[in-house]
Amino acid sequence: MISFVICLLALVAGYFTYGKFVDKVFAPDGRVTPAVAKADGVNFIVMPNWKVFLIQFLNIAGTGPIFGAIMGAKFGPSSYLWIVLGCIFAGAVHDFMIGMLSMRNDGAGLPAIVGKYLGGKAKKAILVFSVFLLLILGSVFVYSPAEILEMFGGTTTMWIVIIFCYYIVATLLPIDKLIGRIYPLFAIALLFMAVALSVVLVAKWPSIPEIWDGLGNKALTVDPSFKDQLFPCLFIIIACGAISGFHATQSPLMARCLKSEKLGRPIFYGAMITEGVVALVWAAVSSYFFYGDPTPGYTLFDATKELGLSTSAPKVVYLMCEDWLGVVGGILAVLGVVAAPITSGDTAFRSARLIIAEELHFKQKKISSRLLVCVPMFLACIVLLFWQTGNPDGFNTVWKYFGWANQTLAVFGLWTMTVYLAIKSKPYVITLIPALFMTTVCSTFLFVSHQAFGMSESVGYPLGIAVLVFSFVWFQVWHSRYEKNKTIKDNN
C-alpha cells in the first residue's frame, strides 16, 4: 500500500512539474483556435472547459484503465511503475502534443498530422491503420457490452442491434447534442467509482506486494504455466493507463472544441494523468484480489479457489465493486463494463468518420455528407460483427491483436512529435526516448509473444534491440541531413 500512495502522489506531482515543462516546450499562445475560426456547429464548436475535460477523459478512458490495469496487475508491482512513468513521460506527453498539433493545424486528424511531418507514405499507412483500428474497436465495443447486458435480459443479438443503433445516432449528430450531454455523466460515474474504491482501499490498508519486494513476473510465482513475458507484454496490456495510440484519434476531437491553446495542459495532459490515477487504483485493487496477504482477495468470493489469475477483468470489476461498495458499487460496475466501452465505441466511429472525410475532403456540415462516409463504414462493421457472433473465438481473435495495434499507433504519434520538435529546434528528447522505447516494445512483442511469431527469447530479444538501434540511427541520419539542408538554405 505504501507503493500505491507514493505512486499516486507521483502522478499528481508529474502534472504540476513535468506537465508544466512540456507545456513550456510547446509554448501555447493566444492565436485563434479552430473551434472559433472554423465553427460549424457540428464538429468545430466551443464548449465549456469542464465539459471538454470530462468528454476527453471518457473518450480516452472507457474500460482501458480498468481492464488493462487488472490484467497488468498479474505481473505484480512492476505495473505501478509502468503506469506512473508511462503516464507522466509518455502517455500524457503523447496526448498533449497530438492535441496541440491538431489545434496548430486547423483541427487536423492524426493521418494529416503524421503526413505533414513524416511524409505522404506514412500518412497513407496511418490512414489505413487508424481507420481499421477504429472499426475493430467499434465492433468490439458493440459485442462485449452486448454479452454482458444479456445477463440482465434479452439476447446478445438484441443488445447488439440496440447499441449499434445508438452508435449510428451518436456518430451522425453534432458533438454537443448527445456526446456533449451524456458523456460528462458517465465520466463522473467512472471517477466516483475510482475515488470510492481508493477510499475503501486506504481504509482497509491490505497487505499487498510492494515495489521493493521485487519487480519480476509475479504471476510465475503462483502459476508457472503463465505464458506472457513481463517485457514486452506488460507494456502492451497496460495501454490506456500509461500510453495509448487510440488517444491520438481522440485528442483532435476535443482540439476542435477548445477556445484557447492555453487549455491544452489541463485538458490533454490532465485527462491522461487522471486516467493514470484510475488505472493505479485498479492495479492496487487487483493486486489485493490476486495477491493479498495472508490470502488473496478472490478467496472471499470462491472457497474452492477456482478464481485466481484466470478471473476475467469484467468479473473482477463486478466482484470487487459489489463487495466493497454494495448496491451502488454494483451499479457502477455495470457502468464501468457496459457504458464505458459503449462511449469508447461511439467516439471511435466518430473519429473514423472525420478521418475519412478529411482525407476525401468531404465537408461534414450536412447530414447527407456524413451519411456518405458512414454507410460504408457501418456496413464494414456489420460484416465484422457477423463474423464475431458466428465464430466461437471471434471476439478473442479480434481483441488479441488490438493491444499491439493500439501501441503501434502510439509509435507513429511519438515519432511525429519527435520530428516536429526537431524541426522547431526544441528539446525533442522528451518524445524521442518514449518513441524508441515503444518501438522496441511493439517490435519485440511481435517477435516473442505466443500471440504473434512466438520466437524464443534468445532470438526475439536481440531482434528487438536491433530494431531499437536501427530506429535511433535512422532518426540521427534524418536529423543530420535536415540540419545540413537547413544551414544551406539559410546561407542562400
Side-chain angles (χ1 to χ4, degrees):
M1 280 297 294
I2 296 176
S3 298
F4 166 72
V5 174
I6 292 174
C7 289
L8 187 62
L9 294 175
L11 278 173
V12 176
Y15 171 79
F16 290 104
T17 55
Y18 197 70
K20 188 174 182 178
F21 167 72
V22 173
D23 188 61
K24 186 176 180 180
V25 168
F26 192 90
D29 54 36
R31 71 185 67 192
V32 178
T33 65
V36 177
K38 299 179 65 177
D40 62 4
V42 180
N43 300 308
F44 293 84
I45 180 170
V46 174
M47 291 198 295
N49 302 339
W50 66 270
K51 186 174 288 189
V52 175
F53 173 83
L54 289 175
I55 295 173
Q56 170 71 5
F57 168 68
L58 197 61
N59 277 358
I60 65 174
T63 55
I66 301 175
F67 289 0
I70 291 171
M71 293 184 284
K74 297 176 183 180
F75 290 96
S78 54
S79 60
Y80 295 167
L81 288 184
W82 172 230
I83 290 171
V84 173
L85 298 178
C87 189
I88 293 173
F89 297 106
V93 177
H94 170 273
D95 294 6
F96 170 79
M97 291 290 289
I98 287 293
M100 298 305 292
L101 283 176
S102 178
M103 280 198 282
R104 286 282 171 93
N105 289 277
D106 297 323
L110 180 63
I113 297 172
V114 171
K116 181 174 181 177
Y117 298 105
L118 297 187
K121 292 182 179 179
K123 178 183 179 180
K124 292 177 181 178
I126 205 66
L127 176 67
V128 175
F129 194 83
S130 58
V131 171
F132 181 68
L133 178 67
L134 289 167
L135 291 181
I136 287 178
L137 180 65
S139 64
V140 164
F141 284 162
V142 172
Y143 189 75
S144 57
E147 279 197 315
I148 297 169
L149 287 168
E150 184 184 14
M151 295 186 296
F152 298 90
T155 64
T156 300
T157 302
M158 181 194 79
W159 287 112
I160 285 176
V161 172
I162 292 173
I163 295 170
F164 197 75
C165 287
Y166 162 75
Y167 280 178
I168 293 173
V169 174
T171 304
L172 292 173
L173 285 179
I175 195 167
D176 63 328
K177 300 303 180 184
L178 185 59
I179 290 176
R181 292 179 180 177
I182 66 172
Y183 268 38
L185 298 177
F186 289 141
I188 290 171
L190 195 61
L191 287 171
F192 178 80
M193 178 169 60
V195 171
L197 285 171
S198 62
V199 169
V200 176
L201 193 64
V202 171
K204 288 181 176 292
W205 202 263
S207 179
I208 56 179
E210 303 282 5
I211 291 175
W212 43 86
D213 293 333
L215 297 175
N217 193 338
K218 181 72 173 175
L220 290 177
T221 63
V222 296
D223 185 3
S225 66
F226 193 73
K227 294 181 179 180
D228 293 334
Q229 304 94 330
L230 191 149
F231 183 90
C233 293
L234 172 65
F235 307 95
I236 295 291
I237 290 172
I238 299 182
C240 291
I243 179 172
S244 167
F246 170 66
H247 297 185
T249 67
Q250 301 305 296
S251 289
L253 294 181
M254 293 300 98
R256 297 161 181 153
C257 300
L258 289 178
K259 64 182 178 181
S260 170
E261 278 195 353
K262 295 181 180 180
L263 294 169
R265 181 165 73 103
I267 298 298
F268 300 121
Y269 200 99
M272 184 61 209
I273 291 294
T274 305
E275 184 178 17
V277 170
V278 173
L280 188 66
V281 169
W282 275 105
V285 170
S286 304
S287 185
Y288 162 76
F289 184 89
F290 295 124
Y291 302 116
D293 187 41
T295 57
Y298 68 81
T299 58
L300 296 175
F301 309 109
D302 185 10
T304 64
K305 297 186 179 181
E306 291 182 359
L307 295 174
L309 291 182
S310 61
T311 311
S312 67
K315 192 165 187 177
V316 173
V317 172
Y318 184 79
L319 291 173
M320 293 306 304
C321 285
E322 187 179 49
D323 185 68
W324 281 14
L325 305 179
V327 176
V328 174
I331 296 173
L332 290 174
V334 172
L335 284 175
V337 297
V338 175
I342 289 175
T343 53
S344 291
D346 62 20
T347 51
F349 282 122
R350 188 179 193 87
S351 298
R353 171 175 69 81
L354 293 172
I355 287 172
I356 295 171
E358 184 177 37
E359 178 63 20
L360 298 177
H361 303 290
F362 284 171
K363 298 294 184 181
Q364 293 291 283
K365 189 166 185 177
K366 294 181 179 179
I367 195 166
S368 58
S369 299
R370 287 172 245 162
L371 281 170
L372 192 62
V373 177
C374 288
V375 170
M377 187 173 70
F378 284 131
L379 287 175
C381 182
I382 289 172
V383 171
L384 192 56
L385 279 169
F386 269 114
W387 181 80
Q388 282 190 82
T389 54
N391 187 339
D393 198 42
F395 174 79
N396 291 332
T397 302
V398 173
W399 186 259
K400 185 184 297 182
Y401 298 103
F402 171 72
W404 173 82
N406 185 33
Q407 298 301 63
T408 301
L409 196 62
V411 170
F412 277 95
L414 288 168
W415 281 115
T416 299
M417 300 165 207
T418 304
V419 169
Y420 165 79
L421 291 174
I423 290 173
K424 297 295 183 180
S425 299
K426 295 186 176 185
Y428 57 80
V429 69
I430 65 174
T431 53
L432 175 62
I433 293 176
L436 289 170
F437 179 75
M438 291 309 300
T439 299
T440 308
V441 166
C442 292
S443 58
T444 304
F445 181 82
L446 276 182
F447 298 140
V448 304
S449 174
H450 66 278
Q451 296 176 348
F453 297 145
M455 297 179 180
S456 64
E457 295 180 10
S458 60
V459 175
Y461 286 156
L463 285 176
I465 294 174
V467 172
L468 169 65
V469 173
F470 174 81
S471 301
F472 180 73
V473 171
W474 167 82
F475 175 75
Q476 291 301 326
V477 170
W478 169 84
H479 190 234
S480 177
R481 289 177 178 174
Y482 174 79
E483 289 295 325
K484 183 179 179 179
N485 292 335
K486 182 181 178 182
T487 300
I488 294 173
K489 185 178 180 180
D490 290 342
N491 289 337
N492 291 335

